[in-house]
C-alpha cells in the first residue's frame, strides 16, 4: 500500500467524486480510477459505493470509513516524522503535539510553551482536546508527543511529570437555581437533583464515588464530553453539571455560577509520554522546560 495511493483515496473521500478528485490531484480520471481499483483489489474490500446513472456522488463503505481514519493517521505521522528528521542541527524548529482533557492546568503548559517558543520561534504547538481514552490512544499510536491525564498513571508504559496544581471539583448551575444560595454543595444536596456528568465519570469515576450513592438511584439527565456543551445544557435548565472549576466563565453577565463540593474533591494531573521513544529535539527540549517551569511553580505554591 503506497502513501501516494492513500493520498488519492483521501482526495476521493473528501471530494465525494472521482472527477473532482482527479481535477484536484491533476490526474486523468481513468488513471485515478485504476489506482483505486488496484487498492480495493489489494485489500480485498470495496471502499466506495458508486452512484448509479445520473448519480455522480460516491460514498464510503464501512471498510472505506475505517481506511479513511487510518490513512489520515498514517499521513499525519509521516509528515511529523519528515519534519523531525529534516530539522537542522543548528536551528531548533519543529512541531510538538499535545493531547489534553479540559483543565485550567493547561495554563501551566502554555507558560512553558511560551517560554520555549520565545527562545525558539520555529517551534509550533498543536493541542488536541479529548477524554482520557482519546489521549492515551493518540499517545500510543504516536500521533501526539505528550498527554495530560487525570489521576493515577500506568508507570510501566509512560513517564510522568506531575502538574503542580490540582483541579477542584464542583457544580456548575444557573444563578437562579435553589442550590446557588449555598456556598458549597454536599453530596446529599445532589442525590435527588437532575445531574449532568462527564461520559468518563458516568462509568463509575471519582465523582460518582464521592456521591456515595447507587448510580441507578441518581437522576442523571445527560452526559457530556466537553464542559462548554454541558454549560449550555445547564443554561437551558436541564440540570446541574459536575465538573472542574475555572473552565466556564461565570463572571459578569453570565447566568451561571460555580460552587465547590463539601467535602472538597480534587484531582491530580500529570503530563505523560511514552517510555522508550526517540524524541525530536523540540520535544526533548520541552521536557526540560516543563520540569524547570513546574519546579518553579511548585515552590511558589508551597511558599
Amino acid at each position: 500500500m503506497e502513501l501516494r495511493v492513500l493520498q488519492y483515496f483521501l482526495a476521493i473521500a473528501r471530494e465525494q467524486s472521482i472527477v473532482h478528485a482527479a481535477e484536484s490531484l491533476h490526474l486523468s480520471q481513468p488513471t485515478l480510477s485504476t489506482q483505486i481499483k488496484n487498492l480495493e483489489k489489494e485489500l480485498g474490500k470495496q471502499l466506495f459505493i458508486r452512484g448509479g446513472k445520473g448519480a455522480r456522488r460516491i460514498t464510503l463503505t464501512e471498510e472505506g470509513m475505517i481506511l479513511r481514519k487510518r490513512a489520515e493517521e498514517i499521513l499525519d505521522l509521516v509528515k511529523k516524522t519528515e519534519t523531525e528528521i529534516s530539522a537542522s542541527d543548528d536551528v531548533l524548529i519543529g512541531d510538538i503535539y499535545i493531547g489534553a482533557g479540559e483543565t485550567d492546568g493547561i495554563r501551566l503548559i502554555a507558560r512553558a510553551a511560551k517560554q520555549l517558543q520565545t527562545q525558539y520561534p520555529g517551534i509550533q504547538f498543536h493541542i488536541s482536546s479529548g477524554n482520557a481514552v482519546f489521549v492515551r490512544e493518540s499517545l500510543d499510536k504516536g500521533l501526539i508527543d505528550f498527554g495530560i491525564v487525570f489521576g493515577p498513571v500506568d508507570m510501566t508504559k509512560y513517564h510522568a511529570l506531575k502538574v503542580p496544581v490540582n483541579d477542584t471539583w464542583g457544580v456548575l448551575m444557573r444563578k437562579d437555581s435553589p442550590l446557588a444560595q449555598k456556598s458549597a454543595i454536599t453530596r446529599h444536596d445532589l442525590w435527588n437533583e437532575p445531574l449532568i456528568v462527564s461520559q468518563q465519570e458516568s462509568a463509575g469515576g471519582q465523582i460518582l464515588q464521592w456521591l456515595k450513592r447507587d448510580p441507578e438511584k441518581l437522576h442523571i439527565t445527560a452526559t457530556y464530553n466537553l464542559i462548554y456543551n454541558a454549560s449550555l445544557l445547564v443554561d437551558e435548565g436541564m440540570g446541574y453539571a459536575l465538573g472542574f472549576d475555572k473552565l466556564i466563565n461565570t463572571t459578569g453577565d453570565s447566568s451561571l455560577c460555580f460552587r465547590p463540593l463539601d467535602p472538597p474533591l480534587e484531582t491530580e494531573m500529570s503530563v505523560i509520554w511514552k517510555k522508550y521513544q526517540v524524541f525530536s529535539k523540540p520535544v526533548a527540549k520541552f521536557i526540560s522546560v516543563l520540569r524547570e517551569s513546574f519546579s518553579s511553580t511548585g515552590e511558589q505554591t508551597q511558599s
Side-chain angles (χ1 to χ4, degrees):
M1 189 185 304
E2 298 181 26
L3 295 178
R4 171 178 53 83
V5 178
L6 289 181
Q7 293 172 330
Y8 294 168
F9 166 77
L10 289 177
I12 297 173
R14 181 180 63 250
E15 299 290 345
Q16 298 183 324
S17 164
I18 290 182
V19 174
H20 293 158
E23 291 175 352
S24 69
L25 295 168
H26 304 291
L27 295 173
S28 69
Q29 182 179 342
T31 297
L32 182 57
S33 296
T34 299
Q35 293 285 349
I36 295 304
K37 287 179 181 177
N38 289 341
L39 177 61
E40 290 180 319
K41 183 178 179 180
E42 178 183 351
L43 295 174
K45 296 290 183 180
Q46 181 179 346
L47 301 174
F48 294 103
I49 299 173
R50 280 79 170 174
K53 293 183 179 180
R56 303 180 67 180
R57 179 183 176 188
I58 61 176
T59 57
L60 291 170
T61 62
E62 183 176 349
E63 291 78 11
M65 288 187 282
I66 293 173
L67 180 60
R68 179 176 187 171
K69 180 180 178 182
R70 298 306 181 204
E72 289 172 344
E73 293 175 351
I74 290 169
L75 293 177
D76 284 345
L77 192 55
V78 168
K79 180 181 178 181
K80 181 172 178 281
T81 303
E82 289 174 343
T83 300
E84 292 173 356
I85 292 176
S86 63
S88 167
D89 291 335
D90 301 322
V91 181
L92 200 62
I93 61 173
D95 300 280
I96 296 176
Y97 295 82
I98 301 171
E102 292 181 296
T103 168
D104 188 63
I106 198 71
R107 291 182 181 275
L108 298 184
I109 310 299
R111 290 172 191 169
K114 176 61 177 177
Q115 180 182 340
L116 182 62
Q117 205 170 54
T118 298
Q119 188 175 1
Y120 302 102
I123 294 178
Q124 285 190 335
F125 288 84
H126 308 273
I127 310 293
S128 300
S129 298
N131 59 22
V133 174
F134 164 81
V135 171
R136 288 190 174 89
E137 284 185 352
S138 298
L139 195 59
D140 292 342
K141 292 176 181 176
L143 300 177
I144 59 176
D145 301 302
F146 301 99
I148 301 175
V149 297
F150 307 106
V153 175
D154 182 354
M155 301 304 290
T156 64
K157 294 180 61 177
Y158 309 107
H159 291 292
L161 184 59
K162 186 181 179 303
V163 181
V165 294
N166 293 340
D167 270 324
T168 301
W169 283 90
V171 185
L172 186 68
M173 65 188 80
R174 289 176 57 96
K175 290 179 178 177
D176 57 5
S177 299
L179 294 183
Q181 306 304 314
K182 305 190 64 174
S183 59
I185 307 301
T186 69
R187 56 177 59 93
H188 299 97
D189 292 330
L190 300 172
W191 279 4
N192 297 311
E193 298 295 340
L195 304 180
I196 302 170
V197 300
S198 74
Q199 293 171 5
Q200 185 173 339
E201 286 295 318
S202 67
Q206 188 179 15
I207 191 65
L208 291 189
Q209 295 177 35
W210 178 89
L211 283 166
K212 292 185 177 180
R213 189 171 177 84
D214 186 341
E216 294 184 359
K217 295 182 179 179
L218 294 172
H219 184 199
I220 298 177
T221 59
T223 63
Y224 68 86
N225 189 33
L226 298 174
I227 190 63
Y228 176 75
N229 291 335
S231 73
L232 299 181
L233 301 184
V234 172
D235 198 30
E236 292 299 321
M238 285 190 62
Y240 297 88
L242 295 162
F244 293 146
D245 194 7
K246 299 179 182 178
L247 296 181
I248 298 296
N249 182 14
T250 58
T251 62
D253 296 333
S254 173
S255 62
L256 305 180
C257 63
F258 183 91
R259 298 289 183 266
L261 301 178
D262 181 21
L265 179 64
E266 294 186 341
T267 296
E268 293 184 350
M269 72 190 87
S270 303
V271 179
I272 64 173
W273 59 94
K274 286 197 303 182
K275 286 188 171 183
Y276 315 115
Q277 73 180 58
V278 178
F279 293 123
S280 67
K281 292 178 182 177
V283 170
K285 185 66 175 178
F286 190 50
I287 290 175
S288 64
V289 172
L290 280 173
R291 291 187 189 278
E292 179 182 348
S293 178
F294 284 5
S295 176
S296 175
T297 301
E299 292 172 0
Q300 294 174 11
T301 302
Q302 294 172 8
S303 62

